[in-house]
């Protein structure tokens, strides 16, 4: 999995810390099957990696909160790292306040995402962990709810931005769970909007959100080139 992820993330996100060739990587960050490389790591075989990739894509749609970038400081988004009181005191319309609103409305927590276990590279394990933890931030940026339609739209955006197999599979196979009305809206309006915004915006997984809490959500969207969604999708499923 590390072999598949590294060129995709280098090419699309230009993530700092991922530019060193394999020969220069520290031994603890290389996959040699010798044992755990970081906290929560579970070594896997190539076959297991393939099964996990397919399973992750399926489960992300069945239950988006079961499982679902890097900075040298390796920031984390969790209840233990966030000052929720400070975020609550921020002005209406700020990123921090809107993020809290998203969590409250959708009844989710920053701790909902499971820790990374099956990536055989310490550095990439953090990248995937970061990807999971900023997922709700993408919902906030895109104005998408956590229903199945909103999750599919976010997956289309992520697929365009990252090219990750789990995002592509989720984007293509997620719509089979939609009703006719939602499917029509998705195909005619929401997918084109997600694709356009995904192409236009810089890599949003590489944004230091923790330094943007006070910035207005509208200003951040304008900075990233993200437009408002074409319609309200909260009532669709």
């Amino acid at each position: 999995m590390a072999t598949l992820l590294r060129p995709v993330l280098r090419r699309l996100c230009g993530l700092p810390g991922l530019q060193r060739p394999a020969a220069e990587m520290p031994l603890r960050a290389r996959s040699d099957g010798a044992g755990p490389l970081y906290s929560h790591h579970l070594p896997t075989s190539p076959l297991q990696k393939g099964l996990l990739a397919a399973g992750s894509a399926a489960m992300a749609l069945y239950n988006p909160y079961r499982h679902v970038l890097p900075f040298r400081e390796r920031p984390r988004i969790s209840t233990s790292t966030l000052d929720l009181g400070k975020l609550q005191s921020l002005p209406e319309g700020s990123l921090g306040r809107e993020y809290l609103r998203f969590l409250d409305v959708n009844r989710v927590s920053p701790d909902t995402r499971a820790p990374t276990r099956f990536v055989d590279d310490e550095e990439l394990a953090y990248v995937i962990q970061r990807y999971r933890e900023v997922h709700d931030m993408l919902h906030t940026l895109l104005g998408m709810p956590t229903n199945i339609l909103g999750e599919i739209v976010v997956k289309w955006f992520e697929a365009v931005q990252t090219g990750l197999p789990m995002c592509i599979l989720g984007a293509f196979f997620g719509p089979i769970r939609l009703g006719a009305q939602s499917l029509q809206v998705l195909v005619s309006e929401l997918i084109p909007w997600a694709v356009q915004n995904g192409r236009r915006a810089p890599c949003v997984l590489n944004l230091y959100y923790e330094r943007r809490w006070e910035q207005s959500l509208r200003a951040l969207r304008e900075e990233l080139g993200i437009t408002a969604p074409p319609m309200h999708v909260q009532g669709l499923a």
Side-chain angles (χ1 to χ4, degrees):
M1 183 176 292
T3 302
L4 293 174
L5 292 178
R6 187 177 296 278
V8 171
L9 293 172
R10 278 178 174 171
R11 174 171 54 86
L12 292 178
C13 291
L15 297 174
L18 292 182
Q19 304 303 319
R20 290 174 292 174
E24 296 177 12
M25 291 295 292
L27 292 178
R28 60 185 175 85
R30 299 172 69 174
S31 176
D32 56 9
L37 300 173
Y38 53 87
S39 177
H40 302 296
H41 176 231
L42 297 177
T44 56
S45 68
L47 175 60
Q48 289 172 320
K49 288 178 175 61
L51 294 174
L52 285 168
S56 294
M59 289 305 299
L61 292 169
Y62 176 74
N63 182 358
Y65 279 89
R66 180 179 179 272
H67 291 304
V68 207
L69 259 151
F71 305 95
R72 289 183 174 84
E73 298 177 30
R74 296 193 176 186
R76 297 290 304 272
I77 297 179
S78 67
T79 54
S80 64
T81 61
L82 295 178
D83 187 340
L84 299 180
K86 179 179 179 180
L87 296 184
Q88 185 64 41
S89 69
L90 293 175
E92 289 285 340
S94 63
L95 175 63
R97 190 70 176 271
E98 291 303 315
Y99 173 65
L100 283 188
R101 189 193 310 278
F102 169 85
L103 297 178
D104 182 60
V105 169
N106 294 281
R107 299 180 180 181
V108 294
S109 163
D111 297 329
T112 311
R113 307 292 171 180
T116 303
R117 290 187 173 91
F118 303 110
V119 179
D120 295 341
D121 184 299
E122 183 188 32
E123 193 170 40
L124 288 180
Y126 170 74
V127 175
I128 295 301
Q129 187 67 40
R130 182 68 172 175
Y131 161 77
R132 292 176 178 177
E133 292 180 357
V134 303
H135 182 79
D136 291 333
M137 207 68 68
L138 300 190
H139 276 273
T140 304
L141 278 175
L142 299 175
M144 289 293 121
T146 57
N147 59 21
I148 184 62
L149 183 59
E151 291 291 346
I152 293 171
V153 174
V154 173
K155 279 289 177 285
W156 273 95
F157 181 90
E158 290 178 335
V160 171
Q161 284 241 317
T162 69
L164 291 173
M166 57 187 174
C167 298
I168 296 173
L169 290 173
F172 277 97
F173 290 102
I176 63 176
R177 299 182 58 194
L178 295 176
Q181 180 185 2
S182 296
L183 183 60
Q184 181 180 3
V185 171
L186 177 70
V187 173
S188 64
E189 299 187 54
L190 294 175
I191 288 179
W193 172 81
V195 170
Q196 290 171 4
N197 280 273
R199 288 175 175 172
R200 181 170 52 241
C203 184
V204 296
L205 301 183
N206 201 26
L207 190 66
Y208 210 143
Y209 293 97
E210 292 84 346
R211 295 179 177 175
R212 303 292 192 112
W213 294 130
E214 298 180 2
Q215 184 176 4
S216 75
L217 179 58
R218 176 179 296 182
L220 182 55
R221 284 173 173 167
E222 291 177 354
E223 176 185 332
L224 299 175
I226 295 176
T227 60
M231 63 176 297
H232 188 63
V233 298
Q234 188 72 46
L236 297 174

